[in-house]
Amino acid sequence: DVKVTQSSRYLVKRTGEKVFLECVQDMDHENMFWYRQDPGLGLRLIYFSYDVKMKEKGDIPEGYSVSREKKERFSLILESASTNQTSMYLCASKSSGGSEAFFGQGTRLTVV
Amino acid sequence: QKEVEQDPGPLSVPEGAIVSLNCTYSNSAFQYFMWYRQYSRKGPELLMYTYSSGNKEDGRFTAQVDKSSKYISLFIRDSQPSDSATYLCAMIGQGAQKLVFGQGTRLTINP
């Protein structure tokens, strides 16, 4: 089974803190994604990586950065957390030759 | 206009009912169609996967794709309270890397 693991299920951070969300996949997938999910807005793509050290902005990259130093690991960084970044964050991976994506369990981030 | 439209609901039906969930789309390049199920406070899990037009059945679930109408459906027969979840449709074109998701439909099955 494909496994995508996010480092935390729940996080509470203070405004202005630097926040790291980590994601690891064990299927040697080339592509990895970070989404945020908010009620009424669905899934929104923050960043996408198609290879090690390669990244592409998604629909809402402002306030976020990413790092992919190893193929299996994709990190989302909130440089200075703000309350409007309180959300459910979902990591996904997908092989370049496949069509379906596989998700992690999600990280519920609250910024206070 | 969004590439994929999905009624967010909420949809509430009694146990045992047949449920129909639908998405429409505008991009004729989409070739692969998926349904994800997401329980509360969990990540989406892949439920059904279909290539091009036609039907696919898996137990109580049937996925249907009509490319001529740009319309996909998920049917749930003999619905159970454990089917209560948000269902997201997703689709992607040949060779593309990013899926396009519907907004998700929140479904509740009442005992």
Side-chain angles (χ1 to χ4, degrees), chain A residues 9-10 31 33 35 37 40 43 45 56 94 96 99-101 103-105, chain B residues 32 34 36 38 41-44 46 49 88 92 96-99 101 103:
Chain A
R9 287 293 308 279
Y10 301 96
N31 302 310
F33 308 82
Y35 297 89
Q37 186 177 36
L43 283 171
L45 181 64
E56 189 177 298
K94 173 187 168 301
S96 59
S99 50
E100 63 271 43
F103 284 86
Q105 75 275 33
Chain B
Y32 300 88
M34 284 140 278
Y36 287 83
Q38 185 178 21
R41 290 184 286 275
K42 298 283 179 68
L46 182 65
Y49 164 85
L88 299 108
I92 191 169
Q97 299 306 325
K98 287 182 278 188
L99 277 74
F101 287 89
Q103 192 176 340

Side-chain angles (χ1 to χ4, degrees), chain B:
Chain B
Q1 186 188 355
K2 292 180 183 177
E3 271 191 294
V4 178
E5 298 276 1
Q6 183 178 9
D7 186 339
L11 180 62
S12 182
V13 301
E15 183 176 354
I18 295 174
V19 176
S20 172
L21 304 170
N22 311 294
C23 289
T24 59
Y25 63 95
S26 56
N27 189 344
S28 58
F30 290 144
Q31 296 273 6
Y32 300 88
F33 303 89
M34 284 140 278
W35 286 95
Y36 287 83
R37 178 175 61 196
Q38 185 178 21
Y39 291 116
S40 182
R41 290 184 286 275
K42 298 283 179 68
E45 57 177 330
L46 182 65
L47 185 62
M48 298 285 284
Y49 164 85
T50 316
Y51 169 67
S52 196
S53 281
N55 291 0
K56 184 173 183 179
E57 192 172 313
D58 184 1
R60 296 183 295 109
F61 298 89
T62 299
Q64 197 171 75
V65 175
D66 182 350
K67 289 191 72 181
S68 62
S69 302
K70 297 190 179 69
Y71 188 88
I72 70 169
S73 300
L74 177 71
F75 297 97
I76 308 174
R77 291 184 299 281
D78 187 24
S79 55
Q80 304 293 311
S82 57
D83 296 328
S84 298
T86 295
Y87 290 81
L88 299 108
C89 64
M91 44 200 82
I92 191 169
Q94 180 77 37
Q97 299 306 325
K98 287 182 278 188
L99 277 74
V100 181
F101 287 89
Q103 192 176 340
T105 300
R106 189 153 61 95
L107 172 67
T108 301
I109 309 296
N110 300 301

Side-chain angles (χ1 to χ4, degrees), chain A residues 6-25:
Chain A
Q6 294 182 230
S7 53
S8 305
R9 287 293 308 279
Y10 301 96
L11 274 180
V12 180
K13 296 292 182 181
R14 296 197 180 278
T15 302
E17 274 193 79
K18 191 169 186 175
V19 181
F20 293 86
L21 302 183
E22 308 282 343
C23 176
V24 177
Q25 52 97 2

